[in-house]
């Protein structure tokens, strides 16, 4: 029967043997995990680039969506690689997947509004109700689109104000796009005295419209009586121009119409002067 020192020595030897076995086993697992991480990292990068390049061949596919989907593929592969690495060390991967699912559900509930903005951003980028540079009106928001992101859209108003609108707000309302069709109709109305020659007023408006190169010839500009007052006649000049020239043409044509009426002796009635006080009005 072994003495106590011999028993202790045998115990130490057995422990060392078991430790060496564990070291060898975990060394192979660690080496395999490192190799798996390196390979997975390069595979994830290759998949990201392939998805990004492949989506680029689809005509009209937005660059932001290309980045978004390629990043999703990359991170999905990396998460799968991490789970496989943990499995190399005996960790129950089923429990990890269940935990990731629970965490994802909790994050989704906590960031419900943010996820709705992401979903709306994807729909805006895919369906394209507006593009960068276009002038739009959505509810109470109006301006030129400067950037369409996954969470929000940046706009600039006509008076230079910066607007950051959540995508969900823009997606859930009708969009009025003033640029998309390329052309816009403009109506310029002026009131003249009823004693003036109406035909002469219409011909004057058509003459200045036909002399303007920015006004389209098809459909042709028209001038018509829009309204009849007690002592006034409201004449309207209606024409079509490109969306880019809309405001500049409207400003110039309004000025030219007034100048042409003055040159032709067509008078624009002035409102009656207001009396200074109630006593004067009674008199």
């Amino acid at each position: 029967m072994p003495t106590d020192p011999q028993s202790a020595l045998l115990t130490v030897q057995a422990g060392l043997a078991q430790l060496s076995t564990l070291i060898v086993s975990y060394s192979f697992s660690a080496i395999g995990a490192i190799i798996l991480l390196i390979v997975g990292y390069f595979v994830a990068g290759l998949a990201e680039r392939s998805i990004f390049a492949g989506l680029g061949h689809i005509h009209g596919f937005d660059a932001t969506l290309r980045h978004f989907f390629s990043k999703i593929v990359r991170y999905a592969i990396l998460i799968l690689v991490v789970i496989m690495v943990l499995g190399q060390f005996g960790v129950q991967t089923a429990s990890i997947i269940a935990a990731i699912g629970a965490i994802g559900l909790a994050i989704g509930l906590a960031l419900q509004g943010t996820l709705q903005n992401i979903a709306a951003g994807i729909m805006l980028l895919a369906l394209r109700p507006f593009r960068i540079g276009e002038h739009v009106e959505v509810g109470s928001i109006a301006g030129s689109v400067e950037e369409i992101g996954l969470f929000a859209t940046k706009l600039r108003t006509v008076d230079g104000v910066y607007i950051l609108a959540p995508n969900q707000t823009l997606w859930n309302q009708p969009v009025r796009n003033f640029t998309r069709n390329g052309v816009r109709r403009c109506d310029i109305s002026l009131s003249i005295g009823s004693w003036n020659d109406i035909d002469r007023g219409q011909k004057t408006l058509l003459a200045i419209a036909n002399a303007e190169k920015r006004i389209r010839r098809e459909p042709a500009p028209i001038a018509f009586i829009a309204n009849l007052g007690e002592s006034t006649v409201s004449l309207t000049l209606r024409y079509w121009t490109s969306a880019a020239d809309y405001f500049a043409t409207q400003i110039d044509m309004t000025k030219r119409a007034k100048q042409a009426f003055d040159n032709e002796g067509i008078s624009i009635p002035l409102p009656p002067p207001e009396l200074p006080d109630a006593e004067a009005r009674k008199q």
Side-chain angles (χ1 to χ4, degrees):
M1 195 167 176
T3 61
D4 290 339
Q6 291 177 336
S7 177
L9 180 61
L10 292 175
T11 302
V12 170
Q13 290 177 345
L16 291 175
Q18 186 176 6
L19 179 61
S20 62
T21 302
L22 290 174
I23 291 175
V24 172
S25 177
Y26 278 101
S27 296
F28 282 112
S29 297
I31 294 173
I34 293 172
I35 294 174
L36 191 59
L37 284 173
I38 295 173
V39 173
Y41 179 81
F42 284 106
V43 169
L46 179 62
E48 179 185 9
R49 292 189 294 271
S50 300
I51 294 295
F52 185 81
L55 294 177
H57 295 302
I58 301 176
H59 178 70
F61 203 88
D62 190 85
T64 304
L65 285 180
R66 291 170 62 192
H67 283 288
F68 179 71
F69 288 122
S70 59
K71 288 293 184 183
I72 286 180
V73 172
R74 173 185 174 86
Y75 291 130
I77 294 175
L78 290 177
I79 290 173
L80 180 61
V81 169
V82 171
I83 293 175
M84 294 173 64
V85 167
L86 293 177
Q88 290 286 320
F89 295 96
V91 180
Q92 295 295 325
T93 57
S95 302
I96 297 174
I97 295 174
I100 292 175
I103 293 172
L105 179 60
I107 294 175
L109 292 175
L111 302 176
Q112 186 175 4
T114 302
L115 294 178
Q116 288 177 349
N117 282 324
I118 293 176
I122 292 174
M123 296 303 296
L124 290 174
L125 291 168
L127 299 182
R128 294 299 189 89
F130 48 78
R131 295 184 176 91
I132 295 176
E134 293 182 336
H135 186 79
V136 299
E137 179 180 308
V138 187
S140 60
I141 301 172
S144 298
V145 180
E146 292 191 334
E147 181 182 339
I148 306 172
L150 285 175
F151 299 95
T153 297
K154 298 178 182 179
L155 302 97
R156 176 185 290 270
T157 64
V158 292
D159 54 348
V161 177
Y162 169 86
I163 296 178
L164 182 65
N167 288 332
Q168 184 183 359
T169 303
L170 302 178
W171 176 248
N172 289 332
Q173 299 187 70
V175 176
R176 298 183 65 196
N177 192 322
F178 297 97
T179 312
R180 177 64 55 87
N181 291 335
V183 294
R184 288 187 63 182
R185 193 193 77 188
C186 181
D187 290 356
I188 296 177
S189 296
L190 293 94
S191 294
I192 64 175
S194 58
W195 56 86
N196 292 282
D197 187 343
I198 298 176
D199 291 334
R200 188 176 182 182
Q202 290 177 284
K203 290 179 181 178
T204 301
L205 291 176
L206 289 176
I208 63 172
N210 291 326
E212 174 55 57
K213 295 181 179 180
R214 291 172 293 184
I215 293 179
R216 304 174 73 91
R217 299 295 174 257
E218 184 62 36
I222 59 173
F224 57 91
I225 299 173
N227 190 24
L228 293 174
E230 293 182 359
S231 59
T232 61
V233 177
S234 179
L235 296 180
T236 295
L237 173 64
R238 174 172 292 174
Y239 61 86
W240 290 80
T241 185
S242 67
D245 293 332
Y246 177 83
F247 291 106
T249 306
Q250 182 186 46
I251 292 171
D252 292 342
M253 292 302 296
T254 302
K255 178 181 178 180
R256 292 176 191 173
K258 175 61 171 64
Q259 292 174 337
F261 279 1
D262 291 343
N263 293 334
E264 293 294 329
I266 301 173
S267 59
I268 298 177
L270 297 175
E274 294 184 1
L275 297 178
D277 51 34
E279 292 297 328
R281 286 195 293 271
K282 289 180 182 179
Q283 295 176 2

